[in-house]
């Protein structure tokens, strides 16, 4: 397709906003991906190009959280390796199958997730509730595999789902869950992006320009997480879940 100035003016500011939201609680794709479609980019090109810009931005928010000790490195191996495997599987399925079935499955799931977040006043788990390290490995690994597959196949809300699973089932505090979520999300983004690189669907001039704005959004959002922690994460998660639910219903 022909890229015009209008295309860049629509995509880049919205990608910045998507990067900010993604760094805080995941789900930036709910803003960034529709931006490409709004600018007239065909669906498969939009998904592939968005992976380039979002993966680039995620690198910077992940580095910032890692430098400030927001990562439980003992859980990095299962989170990263399983997210990579899941995303590779999901991205290959996305090139073959329709996402209609997955969207139908999410319709009953999202209200339940929203109810859970509303009921739980603080995403940080009770300090007295602990689980064994081995069980934590298994839970975080399986969660990363499943959500990584979802990320490669469809994508929006990936970080949000990871964060909720790491805090709710894996019993990680929001601080460490945020860092490990970004590591896993970055891994799944990179795996999916490699698949799309070979598909020839990425629009590089637009993707690289949007990547600059994505970096700025991710860097700013990571700073907000470090300052406000769960106070800012919880409301953003609710917004992301609501937007995802509306988007899926609208698609039908």
């Amino acid at each position: 397709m022909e890229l015009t100035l209008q295309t860049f003016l629509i995509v880049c500011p919205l990608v910045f906003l998507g990067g900010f939201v993604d760094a805080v609680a995941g789900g930036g794709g709910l803003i960034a991906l529709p931006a490409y479609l709004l600018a007239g980019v065909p669906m498969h090109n939009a998904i592939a190009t968005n992976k380039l810009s979002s993966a680039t931005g995620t690198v910077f928010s992940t580095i910032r959280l890692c430098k400030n000790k927001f990562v439980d490195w003992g859980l990095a191996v299962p989170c990263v390796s399983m997210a990579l495997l899941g995303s590779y599987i999901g991205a290959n399925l996305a090139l073959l199958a329709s996402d209609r079935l997955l969207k139908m499955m999410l319709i009953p799931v999202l209200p339940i997730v929203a109810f859970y977040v509303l009921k739980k006043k603080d995403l940080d788990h009770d300090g007295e509730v602990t689980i064994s390290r081995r069980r934590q490995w298994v839970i975080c690994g399986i969660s990363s595999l499943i959500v990584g597959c979802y990320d490669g196949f469809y994508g929006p809300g990936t970080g949000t789902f990871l964060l909720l699973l790491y805090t709710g089932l894996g019993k990680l505090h929001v601080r460490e869950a945020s860092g490990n979520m970004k590591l896993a999300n970055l891994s799944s983004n990179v795996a999916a992006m490699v698949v799309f690189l070979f598909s020839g669907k990425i629009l590089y001039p637009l993707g690289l320009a949007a990547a600059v704005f994505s970096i700025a959004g991710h860097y700013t959002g990571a700073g907000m997480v470090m300052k406000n922690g769960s106070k800012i994460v919880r409301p953003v998660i609710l917004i992301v879940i609501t937007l995802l639910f509306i988007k899926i219903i609208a698609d039908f």
Side-chain angles (χ1 to χ4, degrees):
M1 66 167 288
E2 182 183 353
L3 297 176
T4 65
L5 178 61
Q6 183 179 4
T7 305
F8 288 87
L9 291 176
I10 293 173
V11 169
C12 291
L14 289 174
V15 166
F16 169 84
L17 180 60
F20 176 85
V21 170
D22 202 57
V24 172
L30 289 168
I31 299 170
L33 184 56
Y36 287 95
L37 300 176
L38 183 64
V41 179
M43 175 60 79
H44 279 91
N45 295 108
I47 294 173
T49 308
N50 181 55
K51 281 299 178 187
L52 172 61
S53 59
S54 63
T56 307
T58 304
V59 168
F60 282 81
S61 60
T62 304
I63 290 174
R64 191 171 190 188
L65 291 174
C66 288
K67 285 177 64 178
N68 287 274
K69 300 179 181 179
F70 272 62
V71 175
D72 183 337
W73 290 106
L75 292 173
V77 172
C79 290
V80 170
S81 59
M82 291 297 100
L84 278 169
L85 176 60
S87 184
Y88 178 79
I89 295 170
N92 279 282
L93 288 175
L95 294 174
L96 300 172
S98 167
D99 61 1
R100 183 176 178 84
L101 178 61
L102 181 59
K103 290 178 180 178
M104 290 179 65
M105 292 171 61
L106 283 174
I107 289 176
V109 170
L110 291 173
I112 296 173
V113 174
F115 177 76
Y116 168 80
V117 177
L118 283 169
K119 187 178 178 181
K120 194 172 177 62
K121 294 181 180 180
D122 191 346
L123 290 178
D124 271 327
H125 69 85
D126 187 343
E128 296 179 359
V129 178
T130 58
I131 60 175
S132 69
R133 194 61 167 175
R134 178 179 296 179
R135 188 177 177 187
Q136 208 168 37
W137 257 66
V138 172
I139 289 173
C140 290
I142 293 174
S143 299
S144 300
L145 176 65
I146 295 171
V147 179
C149 188
Y150 166 79
D151 188 30
F153 190 94
Y154 184 54
T158 294
T160 305
F161 294 138
L162 284 172
L163 192 62
L164 289 173
L165 288 169
Y166 289 169
T167 56
L169 297 180
K171 303 304 179 186
L172 287 171
H173 288 283
V174 168
R175 177 188 177 94
E176 289 78 19
S178 297
N180 284 73
M181 175 266 283
K182 294 315 297 180
L183 273 177
N185 202 0
L186 173 61
S187 303
S188 64
N189 273 341
V190 169
M193 187 179 70
V194 169
V195 174
F196 289 127
L197 278 172
F198 288 102
S199 73
K201 299 293 185 181
I202 297 177
L203 303 175
Y204 288 99
L206 180 60
L208 293 174
V212 175
F213 285 81
S214 180
I215 290 168
H218 272 271
Y219 188 83
T220 307
M224 292 292 287
V225 171
M226 290 187 291
K227 289 180 181 178
N228 298 299
S230 59
K231 290 182 180 179
I232 187 173
V233 169
R234 186 170 173 269
V236 173
I237 284 178
L238 288 171
I239 293 170
V240 169
I241 291 171
T242 303
L243 288 175
L244 181 53
F245 187 75
I246 292 171
K247 181 182 184 302
I248 291 173
I249 295 296
D251 286 346
F252 280 109

